[in-house]
Amino acid sequence: MARFGKYTFVIYLLSALAALELIALAAVLAGPAVPAAAAAETAAAPEQMPAWLEPAPQREELPEEKDPPPGERTAAEILEEQRIIAHGMGAIAGRATLNCLEGFQAQYENGVRVFEVDLRLTADQQVVLRHDWRAGWQAGVSETSVPTLEQFLDKPLLGRFTPLSFQDLLRLMEQYPDVCVVTDTKFTDAEIVKLQFEAMVRDGAELGLSYLFDRMIIQVYDQLMFRVVDSVRHFDYYIYTLYTDGFARTEADFREKADFCAENGVMGITMWDYWWREDYAPIAREKGLKVFAHTVNDPEQALALLAEGVSAVYTDELTPGDLAEEPETGAENQASAEEGEKDHGADGKDTIQREDL
């Protein structure tokens, strides 16, 4: 050992360095030290579930669907007995296509039971009764300033008439089970059509009133629109309305459109009154279709069209009484009034407000 004595210090120094290197290596392999308190907190915290494994949020529960009342008639059965379709819910105070509550009430009082309604999407993609967004009907509303649903319902039409949402329309139909509705949704663009009808179907489900779609007749304006609507929901009753579809006004073209209707369960065809030709009547009968004409406000013209084979006319202001060949007697008027009270009750429905719907 003596011969190594002069190296003893160097040997000890190297050994100490080696020991320090081993300690440092062990610390790296073990990871950073965690304080005891922090370690305890980490152990107590629950493990977070990855977002893609989180359960989907629960949808708000929809109400139970209501059943139609006993004896409820379909749109086809109601329309079969009528020769008048109130255009835009009927004129009120000399103004057409307002689609307002008061227009409905006035026309219903006059015996109308089929109502065509114009439907638009609001800025928040809700469906309301409105022909177009022209300025002057509601404060601050125009084609460049489309309202939300809340804004639309908050602004009286022409300062005094009650605007209606699609849900209001459904509630109205529930209260008046002897009326049916023909929709006029205006657009054929597939994306807009899909948005409109999805919103309408959703409204029916949210009220539990989907059965009322059996009292609706859906106007489609071309064959693609029919397929888009029917893919959202199958409706039992459709009308093929020709004013946007390039109708050539020939028997051959009418037959082609009648063939499409017959093959797809479409109940009828609507056209401008001046497009009608009596030659179309036998083709319609052959295919089991009805033909409707719009918009007719002259009673003599309406009666002539009906005599030639048109089933009913859309009108702003005509009522069933305007087309009666003979005026009703006093006894018949009394019977009609009693029947109205029996069906709907003499309970002030003529003064119903939207908040009552």
Side-chain angles (χ1 to χ4, degrees):
M1 290 291 295
R3 59 179 178 171
F4 297 111
K6 63 179 181 178
Y7 302 112
T8 301
F9 174 76
V10 176
I11 293 170
Y12 286 158
L13 180 61
L14 291 174
S15 298
L17 289 173
L20 287 172
E21 287 179 358
L22 286 172
I23 291 169
L25 179 60
V28 169
L29 292 174
V34 178
E41 186 180 335
T42 303
E47 186 179 351
Q48 274 197 329
M49 186 178 292
W52 60 273
L53 281 178
E54 291 281 355
Q58 294 296 313
R59 291 184 58 189
E60 188 175 337
E61 208 169 308
L62 294 173
E64 186 176 347
E65 281 288 338
K66 298 180 183 179
D67 292 324
E72 173 94 340
R73 295 190 301 164
T74 66
E77 291 169 335
I78 295 170
L79 183 58
E80 181 69 31
E81 300 171 355
Q82 305 298 318
R83 299 188 293 172
I84 292 287
I85 300 172
H87 179 221
M89 292 276 271
I92 183 77
R95 303 297 291 267
T97 66
L98 285 176
N99 293 275
C100 63
L101 176 61
E102 292 79 6
F104 169 84
Q105 291 170 333
Q107 294 301 94
Y108 184 89
E109 185 70 19
N110 286 324
V112 176
R113 295 297 181 265
V114 184
F115 294 84
E116 186 235 30
V117 298
D118 300 302
L119 301 173
R120 290 272 174 169
L121 282 168
T122 59
D124 50 347
Q125 297 184 357
Q126 302 300 308
V127 178
V128 296
L129 277 61
R130 176 82 191 226
H131 186 275
D132 54 67
W133 295 118
R134 73 184 74 178
W137 277 13
Q138 290 175 292
V141 172
S142 69
E143 291 287 352
T144 57
S145 183
V146 176
T148 64
L149 174 64
E150 183 179 1
Q151 291 166 341
F152 171 79
L153 295 177
D154 193 47
K155 299 174 186 290
L157 292 153
L158 302 180
R160 57 186 172 133
F161 297 119
T162 308
L164 298 169
S165 69
F166 188 73
Q167 287 200 359
D168 291 332
L169 174 67
L170 292 172
R171 295 186 187 100
L172 203 58
M173 292 176 69
E174 182 184 23
Q175 292 193 29
Y176 290 83
D178 58 342
V179 305
C180 75
V181 163
V182 179
T183 67
D184 187 355
T185 50
K186 304 296 182 188
F187 298 100
T188 58
D189 180 85
E191 290 183 358
I192 297 177
V193 169
K194 195 167 184 295
L195 278 174
Q196 282 180 305
F197 280 89
E198 284 177 344
M200 291 158 63
V201 169
R202 187 168 59 249
D203 280 346
E206 286 178 1
L207 296 178
L209 292 175
S210 298
Y211 79 86
L212 290 172
F213 290 124
D214 291 341
R215 289 198 354 244
M216 284 192 184
I217 302 166
I218 309 302
Q219 284 192 113
V220 295
Y221 312 112
D222 58 38
Q223 297 177 18
L224 174 60
M225 180 185 174
F226 167 77
R227 294 188 174 93
V228 172
V229 172
D230 211 54
S231 71
V232 173
R233 184 191 195 277
H234 173 70
F235 295 88
D236 286 341
Y237 307 109
Y238 290 93
I239 289 175
Y240 190 172
T241 298
L242 303 182
Y243 64 78
T244 68
D245 202 25
F247 179 45
R249 302 172 64 179
T250 64
E251 286 185 53
D253 196 17
F254 183 84
R255 180 174 290 280
E256 180 183 326
K257 288 173 169 55
D259 285 341
F260 174 83
C261 292
E263 290 164 7
N264 290 278
V266 176
M267 68 183 297
I269 293 174
T270 293
M271 63 179 68
W272 291 109
D273 56 321
Y274 53 86
W275 284 0
W276 167 254
R277 288 171 45 184
E278 205 169 349
D279 297 339
Y280 301 151
I283 301 173
R285 284 195 298 271
E286 174 192 337
K287 300 296 181 181
L289 303 175
K290 296 182 179 299
V291 179
F292 309 96
H294 65 98
T295 303
V296 183
N297 291 317
D298 177 75
E300 290 186 7
Q301 182 193 7
L303 286 168
L305 288 165
L306 294 167
E308 291 175 0
V310 170
S311 296
V313 296
Y314 295 67
T315 179
D316 297 314
E317 55 196 36
L318 295 180
T319 68
D322 295 322
L323 303 186
E325 295 182 3
E326 302 220 356
E328 291 182 344
T329 66
E332 287 171 336
N333 280 329
Q334 179 63 29
S336 175
E338 290 174 357
E339 184 64 24
E341 290 185 7
K342 175 182 169 186
D343 287 346
H344 304 290
D347 56 358
K349 273 195 168 63
D350 56 326
T351 59
I352 193 171
Q353 302 297 312
R354 188 181 63 236
E355 54 267 26
D356 299 323
L357 295 176

Tab-separated table of all heavy atoms in Angstrom, residues 4-17:
chain	number	residue	atom	x	y	z
A	4	PHE	N	1.520	3.040	-3.206
A	4	PHE	CA	0.406	3.794	-3.827
A	4	PHE	C	0.012	5.016	-3.017
A	4	PHE	O	-0.920	5.712	-3.335
A	4	PHE	CB	-0.834	2.906	-3.979
A	4	PHE	CG	-0.599	1.732	-4.900
A	4	PHE	CD1	-0.555	0.453	-4.387
A	4	PHE	CD2	-0.389	1.954	-6.257
A	4	PHE	CE1	-0.326	-0.619	-5.239
A	4	PHE	CE2	-0.166	0.863	-7.083
A	4	PHE	CZ	-0.139	-0.432	-6.595
A	5	GLY	N	0.651	5.259	-1.919
A	5	GLY	CA	0.274	6.345	-1.020
A	5	GLY	C	0.215	7.694	-1.705
A	5	GLY	O	-0.651	8.505	-1.415
A	6	LYS	N	1.177	7.975	-2.555
A	6	LYS	CA	1.182	9.303	-3.177
A	6	LYS	C	0.012	9.528	-4.136
A	6	LYS	O	-0.272	10.638	-4.548
A	6	LYS	CB	2.517	9.520	-3.905
A	6	LYS	CG	2.769	8.574	-5.043
A	6	LYS	CD	4.130	8.902	-5.702
A	6	LYS	CE	4.399	7.982	-6.863
A	6	LYS	NZ	5.679	8.323	-7.534
A	7	TYR	N	-0.700	8.409	-4.517
A	7	TYR	CA	-1.880	8.534	-5.426
A	7	TYR	C	-3.214	8.468	-4.681
A	7	TYR	O	-4.277	8.498	-5.284
A	7	TYR	CB	-1.859	7.428	-6.481
A	7	TYR	CG	-0.601	7.426	-7.325
A	7	TYR	CD1	0.326	6.392	-7.220
A	7	TYR	CD2	-0.351	8.488	-8.219
A	7	TYR	CE1	1.483	6.404	-7.995
A	7	TYR	CE2	0.812	8.481	-8.981
A	7	TYR	CZ	1.708	7.449	-8.885
A	7	TYR	OH	2.839	7.453	-9.639
A	8	THR	N	-3.136	8.298	-3.339
A	8	THR	CA	-4.384	8.073	-2.582
A	8	THR	C	-5.368	9.207	-2.782
A	8	THR	O	-6.569	8.984	-2.982
A	8	THR	CB	-4.060	7.931	-1.076
A	8	THR	OG1	-3.173	6.834	-0.914
A	8	THR	CG2	-5.315	7.721	-0.256
A	9	PHE	N	-4.919	10.441	-2.739
A	9	PHE	CA	-5.833	11.570	-2.877
A	9	PHE	C	-6.535	11.567	-4.227
A	9	PHE	O	-7.750	11.794	-4.342
A	9	PHE	CB	-5.052	12.891	-2.706
A	9	PHE	CG	-5.882	14.111	-2.962
A	9	PHE	CD1	-6.809	14.540	-2.010
A	9	PHE	CD2	-5.773	14.811	-4.160
A	9	PHE	CE1	-7.567	15.659	-2.253
A	9	PHE	CE2	-6.547	15.910	-4.393
A	9	PHE	CZ	-7.461	16.346	-3.445
A	10	VAL	N	-5.784	11.271	-5.261
A	10	VAL	CA	-6.355	11.238	-6.627
A	10	VAL	C	-7.400	10.156	-6.738
A	10	VAL	O	-8.474	10.324	-7.325
A	10	VAL	CB	-5.242	11.022	-7.668
A	10	VAL	CG1	-5.840	10.890	-9.056
A	10	VAL	CG2	-4.260	12.177	-7.610
A	11	ILE	N	-7.111	8.974	-6.144
A	11	ILE	CA	-8.058	7.850	-6.205
A	11	ILE	C	-9.361	8.237	-5.517
A	11	ILE	O	-10.467	7.984	-6.021
A	11	ILE	CB	-7.442	6.592	-5.580
A	11	ILE	CG1	-6.272	6.106	-6.462
A	11	ILE	CG2	-8.487	5.506	-5.390
A	11	ILE	CD1	-5.432	5.016	-5.821
A	12	TYR	N	-9.269	8.845	-4.324
A	12	TYR	CA	-10.496	9.259	-3.594
A	12	TYR	C	-11.307	10.273	-4.401
A	12	TYR	O	-12.548	10.240	-4.432
A	12	TYR	CB	-10.120	9.848	-2.239
A	12	TYR	CG	-9.686	8.829	-1.216
A	12	TYR	CD1	-8.893	9.197	-0.113
A	12	TYR	CD2	-10.090	7.485	-1.349
A	12	TYR	CE1	-8.484	8.276	0.824
A	12	TYR	CE2	-9.670	6.563	-0.390
A	12	TYR	CZ	-8.867	6.934	0.679
A	12	TYR	OH	-8.481	6.020	1.591
A	13	LEU	N	-10.597	11.196	-5.054
A	13	LEU	CA	-11.296	12.226	-5.835
A	13	LEU	C	-12.066	11.619	-6.996
A	13	LEU	O	-13.222	11.944	-7.254
A	13	LEU	CB	-10.291	13.254	-6.350
A	13	LEU	CG	-10.872	14.407	-7.181
A	13	LEU	CD1	-11.861	15.222	-6.350
A	13	LEU	CD2	-9.739	15.300	-7.691
A	14	LEU	N	-11.414	10.680	-7.698
A	14	LEU	CA	-12.092	10.010	-8.829
A	14	LEU	C	-13.287	9.216	-8.354
A	14	LEU	O	-14.345	9.162	-8.994
A	14	LEU	CB	-11.092	9.118	-9.574
A	14	LEU	CG	-9.992	9.861	-10.358
A	14	LEU	CD1	-8.978	8.874	-10.932
A	14	LEU	CD2	-10.622	10.695	-11.469
A	15	SER	N	-13.145	8.544	-7.198
A	15	SER	CA	-14.256	7.749	-6.662
A	15	SER	C	-15.439	8.642	-6.314
A	15	SER	O	-16.614	8.310	-6.563
A	15	SER	CB	-13.798	6.998	-5.407
A	15	SER	OG	-12.760	6.100	-5.721
A	16	ALA	N	-15.167	9.818	-5.750
A	16	ALA	CA	-16.259	10.748	-5.397
A	16	ALA	C	-16.979	11.247	-6.630
A	16	ALA	O	-18.214	11.339	-6.671
A	16	ALA	CB	-15.683	11.912	-4.611
A	17	LEU	N	-16.218	11.555	-7.689
A	17	LEU	CA	-16.847	12.003	-8.943
A	17	LEU	C	-17.723	10.918	-9.545
A	17	LEU	O	-18.824	11.173	-10.052
A	17	LEU	CB	-15.766	12.434	-9.939
A	17	LEU	CG	-15.038	13.750	-9.607
A	17	LEU	CD1	-13.872	13.978	-10.578
A	17	LEU	CD2	-16.011	14.920	-9.682
